[in-house]
Amino acid sequence: MNTLTPTTAAVRPMSWRRALRPYRAELQAELRRAWRTPAFAVPSLLFPVLFYLLFGVLLGRGHAPLYLLATYCVFGAMAPALFGFGVQLALDREGGLLTLKRALPMPAAAPLLARLAMAVMFALLVASLLIVVARVLGGVHLQAVQMLRLLAVAGAAALPLGAIGLLIGSHVSASAAPAMVNLVYLPLALLSGLWLPLSALPTLFSTMAPLWPTWHLAQLALPVVGLPSVGGPAGHLLVLLVVTVVALLLARRRLRRIG
């Protein structure tokens, strides 16, 4: 028997909307910041697509359009997560914005979740563009389920990569953050086989590949398009979960110490 009065029933959705208000406000702020900084937004969206057009469509042979579609969906999630968390957190720390947000009457997780949502949105948009380009210009035909699974991998990639970016941004200064993120961003893409198969590189690269979270993400994406991968999805997901948790704990410890 429903014992809720009309007043109680009206208050409940109102309380939910009130609780979600700071999260919505933070997400809107992140969207405005991305809109006002095209130097970050435009390259993050277009570089993976342009690289795919060059290496996957124009120069690609055999399975290259299919392989690079899977791996570039992971590559496309890297920049928004690593730079969005790493560089922006360092800027917020030095500019005092992080201290200000801590003093505001808002949930402590709101800025973090808003930035994560932003990274996921960018990753999904890049992956969608790649799928369209691969279908129209690369001759790649995927079923709807495959497209959705590829988008899921791209969106999920934002979590471990964002945690790594958060760890970097919590340790380095604003001036050093772009360089430090690039030292992670570019080598990870190469060493994980995102730009070309590891079989085309010396054996050492394949031996070391399981050390990199982006390699595990690539191994989740490749079977989606029907290409072989190494290991099972449960093992890859476990590694990504461990990387995410460890990076978040280390970043949290550092931020508590400095702030």
Side-chain angles (χ1 to χ4, degrees):
M1 181 176 180
N2 189 359
T3 60
L4 290 178
T5 64
T7 303
T8 306
V11 168
R12 179 169 292 179
M14 182 65 70
S15 63
W16 274 107
R17 285 197 291 269
R18 187 178 296 112
L20 292 175
R21 189 176 301 163
Y23 298 95
R24 185 171 61 249
E26 279 294 317
L27 180 56
Q28 290 172 345
E30 288 294 329
L31 290 170
R32 290 194 193 98
R33 178 152 54 184
W35 178 259
R36 293 170 182 173
T37 52
F40 165 75
V42 175
S44 296
L45 292 174
L46 293 186
F47 276 1
V49 178
L50 293 176
F51 287 164
Y52 181 78
L53 280 171
L54 178 60
F55 298 109
V57 176
L58 297 179
L59 301 178
R61 298 291 183 272
H63 293 299
L66 201 58
Y67 178 91
L68 291 179
L69 172 61
T71 58
Y72 271 43
C73 282
V74 176
F75 177 58
M78 291 181 68
L82 289 173
F83 285 94
F85 277 88
V87 177
Q88 197 58 56
L89 177 62
L91 290 171
D92 290 350
R93 278 177 44 228
E94 289 200 2
L97 184 59
L98 187 61
T99 303
L100 175 62
K101 287 187 176 183
R102 285 176 172 176
L104 294 175
M106 63 183 296
L112 179 63
L113 292 177
R115 200 158 293 168
L116 176 61
M118 188 71 177
V120 171
M121 290 169 62
F122 266 80
L124 293 177
L125 184 54
V126 172
S128 299
L129 292 173
L130 287 168
I131 290 172
V132 171
V133 171
R135 183 178 180 86
V136 174
L137 300 177
V140 174
H141 299 286
L142 299 177
Q143 297 178 357
V145 174
Q146 290 176 293
M147 296 180 192
L148 291 176
R149 290 176 60 193
L150 207 52
L151 290 173
V153 173
L159 189 57
L161 294 171
I164 295 172
L166 192 70
L167 180 61
I168 296 172
S170 65
H171 280 80
V172 302
S173 64
S175 58
M180 290 300 298
V181 171
N182 272 310
L183 285 176
V184 174
Y185 173 53
L186 299 177
L188 272 185
L190 175 63
L191 297 174
S192 302
L194 302 186
W195 290 347
L196 70 165
L198 291 175
S199 58
L201 299 173
T203 308
L204 178 63
F205 288 82
S206 298
T207 304
M208 296 179 61
L211 296 174
W212 321 125
T214 38
W215 179 82
H216 292 277
L217 288 166
Q219 301 313 302
L220 292 175
L222 288 171
V224 174
V225 297
L227 294 179
S229 64
V230 178
H236 298 306
L237 290 172
L238 179 61
V239 171
L240 293 170
L241 178 61
V242 170
V243 169
T244 302
V245 171
V246 171
L248 286 176
L249 289 176
L250 291 175
R252 181 186 179 188
R253 180 182 178 184
R254 170 64 175 173
L255 290 172
R256 282 186 170 182
R257 184 183 300 172
I258 64 178

